[in-house]
Amino acid sequence: MIDFSDLAVEIEGADLESMMRREKIGRVEVVRTDITDENTARRCNRRRGRYVSVDGACEICDEELIDVVAGVISEFAKGAKRILAVGFGNDRYASDAFGQKVTELLRVGEYGERTVGAVTPLVKSITGIDSRCIVESIVSGFRADAVIAVDTLATSSISRLVNSVQMTDAGINPGGGVNNSQGYITKENLGVDVIAVGVPFVIAVTRLGGRKSDYVDFVTPKDVDGFVEKYASVIAKGINKALSCI
């Protein structure tokens, strides 16, 4: 079966109980999924690493969600001094503008011992260059010791569409959830920690009468613009808060 979900909580065909646990960050319940070995990673079709997911995000107070994002980013990027934020996507499409909108709201520059930079590499159809190549070059020139990658995610669950947040230290596969991968961006190929943050703004659907293995289309809510603006503000504030205390 083809997997058109970027979310760890949507892993199918695996023993989830040993990998997932629920806990509270403040008053918000999160699901932590730890994929600790390569065999499990292959079985789950997810990269090895730590995943933190927040379901029902639309019902959570913005300030509480900001605190959750800040806490997880602080945990994953602890000790980083030169941090590069990367907003993936294509702002010609509302559902794919999320990454760029987040980077536009980040506080960049030098803050004591910490330096924060932000870029939006756009997509290969516009630049003719794989996003990974662009990021690798900038990481080297900027001398980053951590990357925070922000992108639109895909979900296979209507209840999680525009209603979840996922953070992970497993890296990111821009376009992977919609079958348009430009290559994984991970600690292994960048040489620095990669923390990915995303919200599912698209969902895979089947043609009329099709089977689940025949996913061919990706749809998004008609009011996705408002959701993108809301989450861009919340995620940016969470990242800004994290970077002020790492």
Side-chain angles (χ1 to χ4, degrees):
M1 182 178 63
I2 301 173
D3 183 3
F4 285 119
S5 172
D6 293 304
L7 303 179
V9 291
E10 292 180 353
I11 295 170
E12 295 188 15
D15 177 15
L16 303 184
E17 290 188 9
S18 62
M19 296 183 291
M20 293 185 178
R21 65 185 189 278
R22 296 183 180 275
E23 65 177 45
K24 289 285 188 72
I25 298 180
R27 295 191 298 175
V28 178
E29 183 175 85
V30 303
V31 177
R32 287 187 179 265
T33 306
D34 295 330
I35 301 177
T36 58
D37 61 85
E38 290 301 331
N39 286 335
T40 303
R42 284 192 295 271
R43 184 161 51 93
C44 297
N45 195 29
R46 298 291 187 274
R47 288 190 59 81
R48 184 165 54 88
R50 297 172 293 174
Y51 298 78
V52 180
S53 305
V54 183
D55 280 344
C58 285
E59 287 74 49
I60 297 171
C61 166
D62 283 359
E63 290 303 319
E64 290 183 324
L65 193 52
I66 289 167
D67 286 344
V68 171
V69 173
V72 176
I73 296 295
S74 297
E75 173 189 343
F76 287 169
K78 187 176 182 179
K81 299 298 183 184
R82 296 185 66 84
I83 300 167
L84 177 67
V86 183
F88 292 99
N90 181 354
D91 65 358
R92 296 178 183 179
Y93 301 95
S95 62
D96 209 21
F98 173 63
Q100 180 171 337
K101 288 185 178 295
V102 170
T103 56
E104 289 173 350
L105 295 171
L106 295 180
R107 294 196 296 266
V108 298
E110 297 183 1
Y111 302 94
E113 297 181 350
R114 184 169 302 110
T115 301
V116 179
V119 295
T120 305
L122 299 179
V123 293
K124 187 175 182 179
S125 62
I126 295 176
T127 64
I129 307 170
D130 284 344
S131 297
R132 191 176 82 177
C133 294
I134 297 173
V135 174
E136 287 175 348
S137 298
I138 297 173
V139 165
S140 175
F142 184 66
R143 305 191 312 282
D145 54 15
V147 168
I148 298 175
V150 186
D151 199 8
T152 290
L153 302 181
T155 179
S156 59
S157 168
I158 190 67
S159 67
R160 292 192 174 95
L161 185 64
V162 301
N163 198 27
S164 294
V165 176
Q166 176 174 276
M167 294 161 282
T168 177
D169 64 357
I172 193 169
N173 182 19
V178 294
N179 205 27
N180 187 30
S181 174
Q182 296 182 50
Y184 278 97
I185 295 172
T186 67
K187 182 175 183 177
E188 286 77 13
N189 55 44
L190 289 187
V192 302
D193 291 331
V194 178
I195 301 103
V197 185
V199 174
F201 293 112
V202 298
I203 186 170
V205 298
T206 62
R207 289 176 178 167
L208 186 63
R211 298 168 302 175
K212 193 169 184 179
S213 59
D214 296 329
Y215 281 132
V216 289
D217 294 317
F218 299 90
V219 299
T220 191
K222 64 180 180 180
D223 52 350
V224 70
D225 309 61
F227 285 109
V228 169
E229 294 287 347
K230 164 191 166 61
Y231 282 109
S233 174
V234 168
I235 298 302
K237 288 176 181 177
I239 293 173
N240 285 335
K241 184 172 183 176
L243 298 186
S244 69
C245 62
I246 288 176

